[in-house]
Amino acid sequence: MTQAAATFARPQLADCIPDLVAFARGEKKATLYIRNGTLVNVVSGEILPHTSVAVVGTRIAYVGPDAPEMIGETTQVIDAEGKYIAPGLLDGHCHIESSMLSVTQFANAVLPLGTTGGFFDAHEISNVLGLPGLRIMLDEARQTPMAAYMQVASCVPSTNSMFETSGAEFGPAEVAEALTWGPDMIALGEVMNFPGVVYGDPKMIGEIQATLRAGRVVDGHYTWPVGDPRLAAYAAAGVSGDHECVTAEDVAARVRLGMYAKMRRGSAWHDVAATIKAHTEQGLDSRRMLLVSDDRICDSLKEEGHMNFIVRHAISQGVKPVTAFQMATINTAERFGVARDVGSVTPGTIADIILLDGNLADVNVVMTIARGDVVAKNGKMTIDLAPFPYPDYAVNSVKIAKTLAPSDFEIKTPIQSGTIKTRVAEVRENHVETEETFIDVAVREGKLQVTPESTLCKMALFERHGKTGGSAIGIVGNVGFHQPAAIAMTVAHDSHNLLVIGNDDVLMAKAANSVIEMQGGIAVAAQDSDLVKLPLRLAGLMSTEPYETVVNQSQEISQALVKAGCTMNYAFMTLSLLALVVIPTLHISDTGLIRISDAGFEKVSLFVDEA
């Protein structure tokens, strides 16, 4: 491997014009020349054989028939005969933190898979560390070859302090400040407080106004049912894209209102198969449809892939290959207003290019070129990326002073014995939402009895930002533990307090204290098994270790969960959403149980008959 430069500059087109036109006059030779491939032209929707591409510096200067006169003595020539030439893949909605990798290690993971850029909503680290956390993500991204466009988190916290406690708070002033950091601060991140927008919350309206005045776009997160007329109000407020589409009707509703509909294939939520039917069956034009990952854990990056996997999956659902590539390149670039720079292989754009072998539908990436440099071949990086130095506050963010005891997980009841009707959040495999159910749970000596035999688990949340010290406890179903077991984690969307799930108070305390001691991460404790740990020191969300190390540790967590009976697909990701109060239906925060309904957010009691 070659050692990478400290930064990977992406000069503006205006600064590159003298070199590009000098090349056109024949006064300069190409720095990189890709010869005689088959172009996936996402602008025209054509597959064009016998196409060559000339690059001068970081930008494409020529696309057309072979032109050997463009090759100089120092030109790097790549023979693309028998291969497809396509624009680098773009992820239109992604949280790098959810991979549990640092930005640098995320780049190491996805560049060989053909992802050359993305639109990254860093609201996870923003909820923990505020603007300094967002700045860390931006600065580290600039030291990778990716076209990493950052979004300013709109919902820090995701609702407000009445419903949850986060490590920071953003308002219009913070949004306006972050958008001055550079053109790669591209948008306002997903506006999860959609009731706040519709009902005129000054904070949410102010953030949207600050974004639009800065000439940026606003991303959405809207979960009221399809057909609700309030979607029009959301769109009218300037929210022009949304990824919370789970049906074809959701996609159609957004596209018909002029929004961009994002179809998600994360690790644990599989929405493309249903949503893509808006195009394949209903016949809607695809140019306002995007393929996105949202959240992909490092395991699935290794086992399945990233955008290459999602494009392949869309093709398997009946989408024409060139259309699927459009949904992960030019559509995405146009949505964010950067199609002059990324999203196509056309003169003037930055040379983010991938070569593919075999059948186009297989999306078999064999080479990745980023900003005119070959950065990966045959699934491996060809350059070394230097580690990023993190400040102390970023790796010491768990502020829970006390050692938790088994008694902290007891649930006292208003009756001494018998059964009590209890509100339960039922998790659903491969879905982000939960179902609210009501179950009669046994009571003994004034305490709720949650055991392996009950098929239920407790879920407890402890504020970990050193603010209120608050905590809450509830009941969750469908976890699957068939023996005494517990999992604790500081990845608990979106405020990322300490979430503990289990059916044994002693093991819950053991797992929780391990995570506190690690300064963030995941721990699984089970009967007759060793404690399994994954340290996530960076904001309690990301590892500072190499990609392969994190994958191995994450797989050990998954194996420990399966051994205890939790067999959901990428179960950790589903469980980590139990604290995300802005998605239906029932979730937990440090202030209590929160339910989202047609009216918005409301606190509810654990026991149904309580006021």
Side-chain angles (χ1 to χ4, degrees), residues 50 67 85 91 114 129 181 306 353 377 408 415 418 472 516 608:
H50 311 300
I85 303 169
D91 193 339
L129 300 178
W181 293 347
H306 189 230
I353 302 168
K377 289 183 182 178
D408 291 314
I415 62 174
I516 295 170
V608 178

PDB file of all heavy atoms in Angstrom, residues 50 67 85 91 114 129 181 306 353 377 408 415 418 472 516 608:
ATOM      1  N   HIS A  50     -17.266   0.759 -25.604  1.00  0.00           N
ATOM      2  CA  HIS A  50     -16.106   1.396 -26.230  1.00  0.00           C
ATOM      3  C   HIS A  50     -15.975   2.861 -25.820  1.00  0.00           C
ATOM      4  O   HIS A  50     -15.855   3.763 -26.649  1.00  0.00           O
ATOM      5  CB  HIS A  50     -16.187   1.279 -27.759  1.00  0.00           C
ATOM      6  CG  HIS A  50     -16.486  -0.096 -28.244  1.00  0.00           C
ATOM      7  ND1 HIS A  50     -15.662  -1.173 -27.968  1.00  0.00           N
ATOM      8  CD2 HIS A  50     -17.537  -0.586 -28.961  1.00  0.00           C
ATOM      9  CE1 HIS A  50     -16.186  -2.272 -28.503  1.00  0.00           C
ATOM     10  NE2 HIS A  50     -17.325  -1.949 -29.113  1.00  0.00           N
ATOM     11  N   ALA A  67      -8.974   7.983 -27.314  1.00  0.00           N
ATOM     12  CA  ALA A  67      -8.209   9.121 -27.838  1.00  0.00           C
ATOM     13  C   ALA A  67      -6.780   9.014 -27.302  1.00  0.00           C
ATOM     14  O   ALA A  67      -6.423   9.675 -26.320  1.00  0.00           O
ATOM     15  CB  ALA A  67      -8.854  10.446 -27.440  1.00  0.00           C
ATOM     16  N   ILE A  85     -17.735   0.932 -16.639  1.00  0.00           N
ATOM     17  CA  ILE A  85     -17.305   2.165 -15.981  1.00  0.00           C
ATOM     18  C   ILE A  85     -18.564   2.848 -15.455  1.00  0.00           C
ATOM     19  O   ILE A  85     -19.493   3.124 -16.213  1.00  0.00           O
ATOM     20  CB  ILE A  85     -16.587   3.105 -16.967  1.00  0.00           C
ATOM     21  CG1 ILE A  85     -15.388   2.423 -17.619  1.00  0.00           C
ATOM     22  CG2 ILE A  85     -16.161   4.396 -16.257  1.00  0.00           C
ATOM     23  CD1 ILE A  85     -14.798   3.215 -18.783  1.00  0.00           C
ATOM     24  N   ASP A  91     -24.422   7.133  -0.942  1.00  0.00           N
ATOM     25  CA  ASP A  91     -25.440   6.773   0.041  1.00  0.00           C
ATOM     26  C   ASP A  91     -26.195   8.046   0.414  1.00  0.00           C
ATOM     27  O   ASP A  91     -25.633   8.974   1.003  1.00  0.00           O
ATOM     28  CB  ASP A  91     -24.795   6.149   1.279  1.00  0.00           C
ATOM     29  CG  ASP A  91     -25.797   5.484   2.192  1.00  0.00           C
ATOM     30  OD1 ASP A  91     -26.993   5.827   2.112  1.00  0.00           O
ATOM     31  OD2 ASP A  91     -25.402   4.613   2.989  1.00  0.00           O
ATOM     32  N   GLY A 114     -17.179   0.192  -3.569  1.00  0.00           N
ATOM     33  CA  GLY A 114     -17.661   1.088  -4.605  1.00  0.00           C
ATOM     34  C   GLY A 114     -18.377   2.327  -4.113  1.00  0.00           C
ATOM     35  O   GLY A 114     -18.810   3.150  -4.915  1.00  0.00           O
ATOM     36  N   LEU A 129     -22.160  14.789  21.969  1.00  0.00           N
ATOM     37  CA  LEU A 129     -21.097  15.782  22.132  1.00  0.00           C
ATOM     38  C   LEU A 129     -21.425  17.149  21.559  1.00  0.00           C
ATOM     39  O   LEU A 129     -20.621  18.076  21.676  1.00  0.00           O
ATOM     40  CB  LEU A 129     -19.808  15.261  21.473  1.00  0.00           C
ATOM     41  CG  LEU A 129     -19.248  13.947  22.017  1.00  0.00           C
ATOM     42  CD1 LEU A 129     -18.015  13.543  21.226  1.00  0.00           C
ATOM     43  CD2 LEU A 129     -18.924  14.047  23.501  1.00  0.00           C
ATOM     44  N   TRP A 181     -19.390  26.079   7.998  1.00  0.00           N
ATOM     45  CA  TRP A 181     -18.111  25.369   8.057  1.00  0.00           C
ATOM     46  C   TRP A 181     -17.573  24.956   6.690  1.00  0.00           C
ATOM     47  O   TRP A 181     -16.439  24.511   6.586  1.00  0.00           O
ATOM     48  CB  TRP A 181     -18.235  24.138   8.946  1.00  0.00           C
ATOM     49  CG  TRP A 181     -18.473  24.444  10.393  1.00  0.00           C
ATOM     50  CD1 TRP A 181     -18.341  25.650  11.016  1.00  0.00           C
ATOM     51  CD2 TRP A 181     -18.875  23.519  11.408  1.00  0.00           C
ATOM     52  NE1 TRP A 181     -18.646  25.536  12.349  1.00  0.00           N
ATOM     53  CE2 TRP A 181     -18.976  24.235  12.623  1.00  0.00           C
ATOM     54  CE3 TRP A 181     -19.166  22.155  11.410  1.00  0.00           C
ATOM     55  CZ2 TRP A 181     -19.349  23.638  13.813  1.00  0.00           C
ATOM     56  CZ3 TRP A 181     -19.542  21.550  12.593  1.00  0.00           C
ATOM     57  CH2 TRP A 181     -19.626  22.281  13.788  1.00  0.00           C
ATOM     58  N   HIS A 306     -22.304  -2.710   1.049  1.00  0.00           N
ATOM     59  CA  HIS A 306     -22.888  -1.403   1.347  1.00  0.00           C
ATOM     60  C   HIS A 306     -23.811  -1.026   0.202  1.00  0.00           C
ATOM     61  O   HIS A 306     -24.782  -1.748  -0.076  1.00  0.00           O
ATOM     62  CB  HIS A 306     -21.774  -0.370   1.586  1.00  0.00           C
ATOM     63  CG  HIS A 306     -22.269   0.931   2.109  1.00  0.00           C
ATOM     64  ND1 HIS A 306     -21.917   2.143   1.556  1.00  0.00           N
ATOM     65  CD2 HIS A 306     -23.121   1.237   3.109  1.00  0.00           C
ATOM     66  CE1 HIS A 306     -22.512   3.130   2.211  1.00  0.00           C
ATOM     67  NE2 HIS A 306     -23.249   2.605   3.157  1.00  0.00           N
ATOM     68  N   ILE A 353     -15.070   7.198  -9.623  1.00  0.00           N
ATOM     69  CA  ILE A 353     -15.417   6.232 -10.667  1.00  0.00           C
ATOM     70  C   ILE A 353     -15.187   4.820 -10.140  1.00  0.00           C
ATOM     71  O   ILE A 353     -14.233   4.578  -9.394  1.00  0.00           O
ATOM     72  CB  ILE A 353     -14.555   6.453 -11.926  1.00  0.00           C
ATOM     73  CG1 ILE A 353     -14.745   7.885 -12.462  1.00  0.00           C
ATOM     74  CG2 ILE A 353     -14.860   5.432 -13.014  1.00  0.00           C
ATOM     75  CD1 ILE A 353     -13.726   8.283 -13.514  1.00  0.00           C
ATOM     76  N   LYS A 377      -8.609  -1.908  -5.000  1.00  0.00           N
ATOM     77  CA  LYS A 377      -8.661  -2.899  -6.071  1.00  0.00           C
ATOM     78  C   LYS A 377      -9.079  -4.239  -5.489  1.00  0.00           C
ATOM     79  O   LYS A 377      -8.593  -4.631  -4.418  1.00  0.00           O
ATOM     80  CB  LYS A 377      -7.289  -3.069  -6.735  1.00  0.00           C
ATOM     81  CG  LYS A 377      -6.814  -1.926  -7.580  1.00  0.00           C
ATOM     82  CD  LYS A 377      -5.471  -2.292  -8.228  1.00  0.00           C
ATOM     83  CE  LYS A 377      -4.917  -1.156  -9.061  1.00  0.00           C
ATOM     84  NZ  LYS A 377      -3.592  -1.513  -9.642  1.00  0.00           N
ATOM     85  N   ASP A 408     -31.627  -1.800  41.286  1.00  0.00           N
ATOM     86  CA  ASP A 408     -31.961  -0.714  40.361  1.00  0.00           C
ATOM     87  C   ASP A 408     -32.843  -1.191  39.210  1.00  0.00           C
ATOM     88  O   ASP A 408     -33.388  -0.369  38.464  1.00  0.00           O
ATOM     89  CB  ASP A 408     -30.689  -0.085  39.797  1.00  0.00           C
ATOM     90  CG  ASP A 408     -29.904   0.695  40.837  1.00  0.00           C
ATOM     91  OD1 ASP A 408     -30.545   1.470  41.581  1.00  0.00           O
ATOM     92  OD2 ASP A 408     -28.675   0.545  40.913  1.00  0.00           O
ATOM     93  N   ILE A 415     -49.760  -3.503  43.563  1.00  0.00           N
ATOM     94  CA  ILE A 415     -50.373  -4.641  44.250  1.00  0.00           C
ATOM     95  C   ILE A 415     -49.267  -5.551  44.755  1.00  0.00           C
ATOM     96  O   ILE A 415     -48.131  -5.500  44.281  1.00  0.00           O
ATOM     97  CB  ILE A 415     -51.335  -5.415  43.327  1.00  0.00           C
ATOM     98  CG1 ILE A 415     -50.567  -5.987  42.125  1.00  0.00           C
ATOM     99  CG2 ILE A 415     -52.471  -4.516  42.861  1.00  0.00           C
ATOM    100  CD1 ILE A 415     -51.399  -6.891  41.238  1.00  0.00           C
ATOM    101  N   GLY A 418     -50.527 -11.520  42.500  1.00  0.00           N
ATOM    102  CA  GLY A 418     -51.513 -11.696  41.431  1.00  0.00           C
ATOM    103  C   GLY A 418     -50.916 -11.344  40.096  1.00  0.00           C
ATOM    104  O   GLY A 418     -49.748 -11.648  39.808  1.00  0.00           O
ATOM    105  N   ALA A 472     -35.509   5.209  33.875  1.00  0.00           N
ATOM    106  CA  ALA A 472     -36.863   4.684  33.690  1.00  0.00           C
ATOM    107  C   ALA A 472     -36.758   3.211  33.362  1.00  0.00           C
ATOM    108  O   ALA A 472     -35.689   2.707  32.971  1.00  0.00           O
ATOM    109  CB  ALA A 472     -37.587   5.430  32.570  1.00  0.00           C
ATOM    110  N   ILE A 516     -20.250   0.886  31.613  1.00  0.00           N
ATOM    111  CA  ILE A 516     -19.807   2.118  32.281  1.00  0.00           C
ATOM    112  C   ILE A 516     -18.294   2.110  32.429  1.00  0.00           C
ATOM    113  O   ILE A 516     -17.621   3.108  32.152  1.00  0.00           O
ATOM    114  CB  ILE A 516     -20.495   2.256  33.651  1.00  0.00           C
ATOM    115  CG1 ILE A 516     -22.007   2.438  33.474  1.00  0.00           C
ATOM    116  CG2 ILE A 516     -19.903   3.445  34.420  1.00  0.00           C
ATOM    117  CD1 ILE A 516     -22.789   2.335  34.774  1.00  0.00           C
ATOM    118  N   VAL A 608     -51.315  -0.307  32.910  1.00  0.00           N
ATOM    119  CA  VAL A 608     -52.368   0.261  32.085  1.00  0.00           C
ATOM    120  C   VAL A 608     -53.417   0.987  32.909  1.00  0.00           C
ATOM    121  O   VAL A 608     -53.937   2.040  32.498  1.00  0.00           O
ATOM    122  CB  VAL A 608     -53.012  -0.845  31.227  1.00  0.00           C
ATOM    123  CG1 VAL A 608     -54.166  -0.281  30.392  1.00  0.00           C
ATOM    124  CG2 VAL A 608     -51.966  -1.487  30.329  1.00  0.00           C
TER     125      VAL A 608
END
